[in-house]
Amino acid sequence: MSDYTDGTVLEVPADGGSGTDAPITGLTRPTGMALNAAGDLYVSDTGNNRVVKVPGNGGPQTVVPATDLSRPIGLALDAAGNLFISDSFNNRVVEVPADGGPQTTVPTTGLVHPDGLALDALGNLFVADFSNDRVVKVPADGGPQTTVPARGLSQPTGLAFDSDGDLYISDSANGRVVKMPVDGGPQETVPTSGLRSPQGLVLDAVDNLFVADFGNDRVVEVPANGGGQSTLPVSGLSTPVGLAVPPAPVPPTNVTAAPGHAQATVSFIGSASPAVTGYIVTAIDLTKHSRGGQVAQGPGSPITVTSLTPGDSYEFTVTGTNAAGATSLNSAPSPAVTIRRVPTRLAARPASMQQRSGPSALIVRGLHATLSEADGTPLARQLITFTNTARTRQLCTAVSDVHGVAHCEATVPDRTRGSRSLYDDLRHHGYLATFRGSTTYRSVVDTAPVRVRHRP
């Protein structure tokens, strides 16, 4: 936001808080501003009859090569990076091409002290014709200038478009902001209170409206959801004029996900906007009806999201962030996928058994199995059950240690029914080690022989 009286530009965090001075020097009565996706900031240095540029990469401040400006105010950037300047006291709008070509004058008629500028999604230029109490439209295709059918305007200043294409106008002498619906519906007055000579306007990525309330030394926010207006908590602000927010990238598209073992690889088509530096993928757990908290970042497609719950179904959305720090809206969610459980391995070792007398019993020793993921990573704190191969008799259970090893021994009294058949079963078929699995890990079994040890 530009502070007209103090000759400074304040940078305010998106989540609120006090502003800090932007690294610009030598300003006198700064007004209009524009930001591009690379974070380059343009400021109308009105009192010095120039426009300055502060590169987003931290490079030195420069002067835009526009000639013979007199009290420049409004600024706008088109999709190609061409800069439009309302040259107020020369009653014209000039265009400075992004490719370094010569400055040109936009073909308009009858402007008197033009103020705010804005471009719609089609590249049509709108000009607040301050002294003529009107807003004019200059078609991108070179057609004739027309007047926007806004009623009762008096000294219009700031202009801005929302994501639907509706036009907002600071009607400064009437202390209000009006909205012109893109569909040609009736003019509306934005529900604000107490405005005095409102100037610059800007909308963020979710269509919250910000108004430079010049006469009250404040910036007002009007929420897109219809909540009441609030004042940004910026201390020491005096006569704000220009406002700018980094342009948010358009969301990524064609999001798909390939499920893996407790993870998913998310592919997408990146944002069509310039200067996008990275992407964030967010997992939405449809089974638990929550976003789950799993996110992953990367410079582009694909991006793998880990620590997902096997067996649960997920959708994924993707956002893009540009060099100016602006983040897109969420993409459309991917088709749902179900996360697979992690495969496991279980390796059982040979055991031994021996008949014992006094009291008579069957002793099975050396029941031993090692549990790991398929890649060999040991799995600790998992319950392993040891049985005969027919699973009719449980011998013992054990919990795997840090090495994935579980071991135990079993004592089966001779008086137990079926003791003899268990002896024959183990001698001929060995034993079975079983991991029953979990929400994360697949179940797995293994067998090993049981050798007979005779009493000495």
Side-chain angles (χ1 to χ4, degrees):
M1 57 187 70
S2 62
D3 192 325
Y4 184 79
T5 300
D6 287 347
T8 57
V9 171
L10 296 177
E11 184 176 353
V12 180
D15 56 358
S18 298
T20 57
D21 287 348
I24 310 177
T25 59
L27 298 181
T28 301
R29 298 179 180 175
T31 55
M33 298 194 299
L35 264 170
N36 65 17
D40 301 326
L41 173 65
Y42 296 82
V43 182
S44 282
D45 187 9
T46 304
N48 290 316
N49 299 318
R50 64 177 184 168
V51 175
V52 298
K53 175 185 176 182
V54 181
N57 62 9
Q61 168 183 320
T62 59
V63 176
V64 172
T67 58
D68 299 323
L69 297 180
S70 181
R71 305 283 291 180
I73 299 179
L75 300 177
L77 288 161
D78 68 12
N82 301 310
L83 177 65
F84 296 83
I85 307 168
S86 63
D87 189 8
S88 179
F89 276 24
N90 285 322
N91 300 321
R92 64 176 181 167
V93 176
V94 300
E95 178 182 356
V96 181
D99 62 8
Q103 165 185 316
T104 59
T105 297
V106 175
T108 60
T109 58
L111 298 182
V112 180
H113 300 327
D115 198 291
L117 302 176
L119 290 148
D120 67 13
L122 300 176
N124 300 309
L125 177 66
F126 291 74
V127 184
D129 190 4
F130 181 84
S131 295
N132 286 319
D133 301 328
R134 64 176 182 168
V135 174
V136 300
K137 173 184 176 181
V138 183
D141 61 8
Q145 164 186 316
T146 58
T147 298
V148 174
R151 303 182 312 277
L153 296 183
S154 181
Q155 300 179 347
T157 52
L159 303 176
F161 285 94
D162 66 15
S163 61
D164 291 329
D166 301 327
L167 173 64
Y168 293 76
I169 306 168
S170 277
D171 188 10
S172 69
N174 287 320
R176 64 176 182 167
V177 176
V178 300
K179 174 182 175 182
M180 304 298 297
V182 67
D183 61 6
Q187 172 179 317
E188 304 170 22
T189 297
V190 175
T192 60
S193 61
L195 298 182
R196 292 178 58 200
S197 189
Q199 301 288 312
L201 301 176
V202 73
L203 292 108
D204 64 16
V206 293
D207 285 340
N208 298 311
L209 173 67
F210 298 86
V211 184
D213 190 6
F214 181 88
N216 287 317
D217 302 329
R218 64 178 181 169
V219 174
V220 169
E221 178 182 0
V222 183
N225 62 10
Q229 83 179 35
S230 61
T231 298
L232 294 189
V234 182
S235 59
L237 188 61
S238 177
T239 56
V241 176
L243 299 176
V245 296
V250 298
T253 58
N254 292 51
V255 181
T256 59
H261 303 131
Q263 65 183 33
T265 299
V266 179
S267 300
F268 52 91
I269 295 176
S271 171
S273 299
V276 174
T277 57
Y279 295 89
I280 297 175
V281 177
T282 300
I284 305 167
D285 191 330
L286 302 177
T287 303
K288 295 183 175 65
H289 305 288
S290 71
R291 284 193 168 262
Q294 290 87 3
V295 297
Q297 303 181 43
S301 176
I303 295 174
T304 298
V305 186
T306 60
S307 301
L308 302 177
T309 303
D312 283 6
S313 294
Y314 285 86
E315 291 177 341
F316 300 87
T317 59
V318 186
T319 59
T321 301
N322 62 24
T327 298
S328 73
L329 299 176
N330 285 322
S331 68
S334 69
V337 295
T338 300
I339 305 304
R340 300 197 297 268
R341 290 189 291 175
V342 177
T344 55
R345 295 189 309 186
L346 190 63
R349 290 185 182 177
S352 63
M353 63 180 176
Q354 181 180 21
Q355 292 284 357
R356 188 190 69 184
S357 59
S360 179
L362 175 65
I363 308 298
V364 184
R365 294 188 174 93
L367 296 165
H368 181 291
T370 301
L371 178 66
S372 66
E373 295 183 17
D375 63 2
T377 303
L379 288 179
R381 299 185 298 276
Q382 306 298 324
L383 183 67
I384 308 300
T385 302
F386 298 91
T387 65
N388 62 333
T389 56
R391 298 184 180 182
T392 58
R393 177 65 64 87
Q394 178 174 299
L395 301 174
C396 59
T397 61
V399 175
S400 59
D401 61 19
V402 294
H403 304 292
V405 173
H407 56 85
C408 58
E409 67 177 47
T411 300
V412 183
D414 272 352
R415 66 177 179 273
T416 303
R417 187 175 68 178
S419 173
R420 182 64 192 180
S421 63
L422 174 62
Y423 175 88
D424 291 338
D425 188 3
L426 294 175
R427 181 164 63 92
H428 290 102
H429 304 292
Y431 74 92
L432 179 73
T434 301
F435 170 58
R436 290 191 170 89
S438 66
T439 57
T440 302
Y441 299 105
R442 290 182 185 174
S443 61
V444 64
V445 299
D446 193 29
T447 59
V450 178
R451 297 187 295 265
V452 177
R453 296 180 60 190
H454 299 284
R455 282 182 265 176

